[in-house]
């Protein structure tokens, strides 16, 4: 990634995360290329969310290297990584239930605002202009995910599927270079999952690259350009969705049986 000609935006090299004697992530390599969606899949307990937490800065590296835009980011805090252009959503939706949808989205811009405490209290002209700009950007982010009609609705009153969309709006509002999506289709019905697939494609088309952790294989196969499969914390396979779908080792890891058995499915 340090190569100026590389199209890798985010690169993990030998990434390892230990919990006591357990290697939750064990010597994993992968590259997120610019303008792509890279899926991280695997059975429960494979280390997918742990790897996402390491990339986001919620967990420290136990070993290996992590580079973003050619720069080492292993010692950067999660807030610093957000300012650099790495944002995320969570497996369990984390919203401010008593705040409106638009105010929840505004939280996603906290790292990029310029108005200080005193300016906000004194309502200076500069802060008023910034506040107006923030609100416009938040409404646009809600429109992007299809929630602009619910801007003033309290987040806790939104249906579950809408809360998923709201969390994505909060991640995209700052137009980061990379968005880490942790199971955005979890708990959604088929129609909602299809909308998530379309939304992820729109995020990529808007110029943001995506790391997607997802169990919903229809979503993965529809939107991912590349897929990395983890099993017991280690990288089992990498390739295009078509290559992963037909990989015998991947089939066996997911289903616990060889790929040539009559009822095996990718």
């Amino acid at each position: 990634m340090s190569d100026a000609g590389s199209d890798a935006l985010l690169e993990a090299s030998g990434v390892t995360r230990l919990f006591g004697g357990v290697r939750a992530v064990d010597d994993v390599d992968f590259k997120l290329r610019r303008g792509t969606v890279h899926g991280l899949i695997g059975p429960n307990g494979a280390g997918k969310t742990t790897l996402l937490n390491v990339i986001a800065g919620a967990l420290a590296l136990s070993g290996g290297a992590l580079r973003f835009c050619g720069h080492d980011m292993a010692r950067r805090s999660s807030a610093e990584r957000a300012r650099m252009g790495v944002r995320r959503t969570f497996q369990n939706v984390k919203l401010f239930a008593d705040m409106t949808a638009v105010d929840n989205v505004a939280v996603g811009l906290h790292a990029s605002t310029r108005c200080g405490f005193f300016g906000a209290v004194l309502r200076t002209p500069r802060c008023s202009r910034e506040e107006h700009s923030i609100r416009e950007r938040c409404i646009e982010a809600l429109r992007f995910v299809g929630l602009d009609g619910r801007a003033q609705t309290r987040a806790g009153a939104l249906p579950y599927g809408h809360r998923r969309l709201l969390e994505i709006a909060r991640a995209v509002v700052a137009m980061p270079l990379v968005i880490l999506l942790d199971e955005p289709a979890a708990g959604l019905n088929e129609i909602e999952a299809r909308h998530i697939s379309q939304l992820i494609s729109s995020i990529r088309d808007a110029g943001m690259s995506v790391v997607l952790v997802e169990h919903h294989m229809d979503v993965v196969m529809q939107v991912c350009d590349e897929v990395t499969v983890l099993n017991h914390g280690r990288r089992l396979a990498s390739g295009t969705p078509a290559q992963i779908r037909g990989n015998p080792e991947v089939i066996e890891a997911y289903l616990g049986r060889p790929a040539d058995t009559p009822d095996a499915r990718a």
Side-chain angles (χ1 to χ4, degrees), residues 25-37:
V25 177
D26 187 5
D27 196 29
V28 170
D29 296 343
F30 92 95
K31 293 180 181 180
L32 172 66
R33 304 185 189 281
R34 294 179 186 274
T36 67
V37 178

Side-chain angles (χ1 to χ4, degrees), residues 129-147:
R129 287 193 299 271
E130 185 177 52
E131 185 178 327
H132 178 72
S133 174
I134 287 172
R135 186 167 187 81
E136 286 186 336
R137 291 172 66 182
C138 292
I139 293 296
E140 183 56 37
L142 289 171
R143 185 176 296 113
F144 183 79
V145 302
L147 288 180

Side-chain angles (χ1 to χ4, degrees), residues 20-246:
V22 177
R23 289 179 171 264
V25 177
D26 187 5
D27 196 29
V28 170
D29 296 343
F30 92 95
K31 293 180 181 180
L32 172 66
R33 304 185 189 281
R34 294 179 186 274
T36 67
V37 178
H38 194 121
L40 294 177
I41 68 172
N44 288 328
K48 305 179 298 296
T49 294
T50 300
L51 178 55
L52 213 66
N53 284 333
V54 169
I55 295 170
L59 293 173
L61 278 173
S62 299
L66 195 60
R67 299 180 69 82
F68 177 67
C69 292
H71 302 289
D72 179 15
M73 68 178 207
R75 291 186 173 87
R76 303 272 189 170
S77 69
S78 56
E80 288 174 315
R81 295 181 199 197
R83 286 192 290 272
M84 291 170 68
V86 179
R87 300 295 179 102
R88 70 167 302 175
T89 66
F90 294 87
Q91 187 173 5
N92 300 311
V93 179
K94 294 186 177 182
L95 297 170
F96 297 98
D98 292 329
M99 290 169 54
T100 64
V102 70
D103 287 340
N104 266 276
V105 176
V107 172
L109 289 172
H110 72 91
S112 56
T113 56
R114 297 180 179 179
C115 185
F117 173 77
F118 290 107
V121 171
L122 297 173
R123 304 287 295 175
T124 64
R126 189 185 74 172
C127 285
S128 295
R129 287 193 299 271
E130 185 177 52
E131 185 178 327
H132 178 72
S133 174
I134 287 172
R135 186 167 187 81
E136 286 186 336
R137 291 172 66 182
C138 292
I139 293 296
E140 183 56 37
L142 289 171
R143 185 176 296 113
F144 183 79
V145 302
L147 288 180
D148 47 311
R150 307 302 295 271
Q152 297 305 320
T153 303
R154 189 173 58 84
L158 291 170
Y160 177 76
H162 284 182
R163 294 200 299 273
R164 282 275 177 199
L165 294 175
L166 179 55
E167 191 171 43
I168 293 174
R170 188 169 63 185
V172 303
V173 68
M175 289 296 290
L177 292 172
V178 173
I179 294 185
L180 313 174
L181 298 178
D182 195 356
E183 298 195 34
L188 303 185
N189 61 37
E190 185 177 345
I191 294 174
E192 292 170 330
R194 194 177 305 126
H195 178 58
I196 287 290
S197 294
Q198 294 168 348
L199 180 56
I200 294 171
S201 295
S202 295
I203 290 171
R204 175 181 53 201
D205 293 345
M208 292 169 271
S209 303
V210 178
V211 179
L212 172 67
V213 169
E214 186 54 69
H215 279 290
H216 201 302
M217 286 300 101
D218 285 345
V219 174
V220 171
M221 294 301 160
Q222 286 170 17
V223 305
C224 289
D225 302 289
E226 298 179 72
V227 179
T228 293
V229 186
L230 300 181
N231 192 32
H232 301 299
R234 296 187 64 87
R235 187 179 73 170
L236 178 64
S238 290
T240 65
Q243 290 169 334
I244 294 301
R245 188 187 293 115

